[in-house]
Amino acid sequence: MISESARSFIDIEPTVAKALAAGTPVVALESTIITHGMPYPQNREMAASVERIISEEGAVPATIAVIDGRLKIGLTAAERDALAKAGDTMKLSRADLAFAIAERRTGGTTVAATMIAAALAGISVFATGGIGGVHKGAEKSFDVSADLDELARTPVIVVSAGPKAILDIEKTLEVLETRGVPVVVYGADVMPAFWSRRSPYPAPLRLDRPEALAGFFRTRQALGITGGMLVANPVPEAEEIPAKEMTGYIAAAQKAAEAENIGGKAVTPYLLSKILELSDGKSLATNIALVENNARLAARIAKAL
Ligand code: PSU
Ligand code: MN
């Protein structure tokens, strides 16, 4: 599956390689959520628990990252722990994935970069927390995540809890529609809002079974419709933070980011850590719960495929 020219830059972890060769289900996992999305040691625990959940569901987890210039498809437990602890890693998207490889750097892969790596390795299903999207105030800042363009071009199913609620969800949905990315809400009629089960926006599409999601993806491929699709999986009720409560934290974090002139790649990590602080750790507990929930659904989709 991997081209001759790419092979010399990539290490596939043996369990993952075996599963890919045998055609058994594999689920990709991103690593920016480990390096930039959560503090240590919760990031380490989360990275281990999502892999455990995928294994328990009968699929093979492949956490993707760049370590010392090697594009890793699947990490050993030791590599995963080291990445969680590292602290000074790059945040890699389409623009700089190859830079990190060429310059022998270490970095977490965003949704966009993880999709690229998963597609290279022949992995069709990928679990994350929330995708990047159109930031609030994007009409001034032009801050639109490269995740959206990647979803439009790379054939991977991304299982998320929706766009992170720090974003302008309405504009994010508009861009996804323009770029031809199906947004399928799992088992609900409204778009979830990451930490909360409900946003004010209706579900563009809805499916209720992993087999139906797999069937939709296969149909797109059979018709030659290129690109990926976004699954929005609402966080479990017991773990959600109601949107009303989140709104206050998000607005305060946004204000702080403006006051401190935070821009570019630093915006999302800054907002997430500020919201963690403001919510007294509640947002982090919910973030972990929703990633675990997405890993479980991703494994079921991978099995159905
Ligand atoms: N999901 C989470 N936490 C995160 C992310 C996703 O629960 O930190 C990461 C993903 O890697 C996503 C990135 O691609 O945030 C978006 O960054 P940006 O807005 O700069 O494109
Ligand atoms: Mn951005």
Side-chain angles (χ1 to χ4, degrees), residues 146-172:
D147 292 352
L148 301 184
D149 264 16
E150 206 58 51
L151 279 159
R153 69 204 287 182
T154 303
V156 174
I157 302 174
V158 179
V159 182
S160 72
K164 284 187 275 289
I166 53 177
L167 301 167
D168 187 321
I169 296 180
E170 192 175 24
K171 290 195 179 76
T172 301

Side-chain angles (χ1 to χ4, degrees), residues 30 32-33 36-37 91 109-112 128-133 135 145-147 164 194 265 268 272 287 291:
E30 62 142 310
T32 290
I33 191 171
H36 292 75
K91 174 180 166 186
T109 49
T110 60
V111 167
T128 180
I131 61 155
H135 278 267
S145 176
D147 292 352
K164 284 187 275 289
F194 197 67
K265 280 172 173 290
T268 296
L272 290 177
N287 197 345
V291 182

Side-chain angles (χ1 to χ4, degrees), residues 43-285:
N43 61 348
R44 183 190 61 191
E45 305 307 316
M46 179 279 304
S49 81
V50 289
E51 290 208 6
R52 198 177 321 116
I53 287 166
I54 289 166
S55 302
E56 282 166 8
E57 288 290 330
V60 172
T63 301
I64 290 171
V66 177
I67 297 180
D68 298 328
R70 303 292 302 169
L71 177 53
K72 300 277 183 184
I73 312 289
L75 301 181
T76 64
E79 287 170 332
R80 221 177 45 218
D81 290 355
L83 190 69
K85 222 182 288 189
D88 58 345
T89 54
M90 292 182 76
K91 174 180 166 186
L92 303 173
S93 190
R94 171 174 278 268
D96 35 27
L97 177 63
F99 175 92
I101 295 169
E103 292 292 313
R104 311 257 194 283
R105 304 281 281 273
T106 293
T109 49
T110 60
V111 167
T114 306
M115 289 180 77
I116 294 170
L120 267 174
I123 303 171
S124 303
V125 187
F126 158 30
T128 180
I131 61 155
V134 181
H135 278 267
K136 294 184 206 270
E139 58 273 29
K140 276 202 190 140
S141 68
F142 275 47
D143 191 349
V144 178
S145 176
D147 292 352
L148 301 184
D149 264 16
E150 206 58 51
L151 279 159
R153 69 204 287 182
T154 303
V156 174
I157 302 174
V158 179
V159 182
S160 72
K164 284 187 275 289
I166 53 177
L167 301 167
D168 187 321
I169 296 180
E170 192 175 24
K171 290 195 179 76
T172 301
L173 288 173
E174 289 293 348
V175 172
L176 287 168
E177 186 189 51
T178 303
R179 306 300 316 271
V181 179
V183 178
V184 188
V185 179
Y186 184 66
D189 290 318
V190 294
M191 199 56 199
F194 197 67
W195 297 281
S196 319
R197 288 176 59 81
R198 303 175 63 87
S199 75
Y201 312 106
L205 298 167
R206 169 184 175 158
L207 289 170
D208 293 346
R209 292 175 311 114
E211 294 75 20
L213 289 161
F216 178 29
F217 185 69
R218 265 195 255 100
T219 305
R220 271 173 67 84
Q221 293 206 304
L223 294 174
I225 301 173
T226 53
M229 65 190 242
L230 180 65
V231 175
N233 185 27
V235 61
E237 209 165 333
E239 265 101 10
E240 86 159 325
I241 306 176
K244 252 201 213 122
E245 184 179 341
M246 281 312 303
T247 309
Y249 303 140
I250 293 168
Q254 216 88 46
K255 236 175 124 180
E258 269 161 47
E260 289 186 45
N261 246 312
I262 308 292
K265 280 172 173 290
V267 172
T268 296
Y270 178 92
L271 292 175
L272 290 177
S273 82
K274 200 75 190 171
I275 290 166
L276 189 168
E277 211 179 287
L278 294 166
S279 71
D280 232 336
K282 257 170 81 180
S283 67
L284 178 58

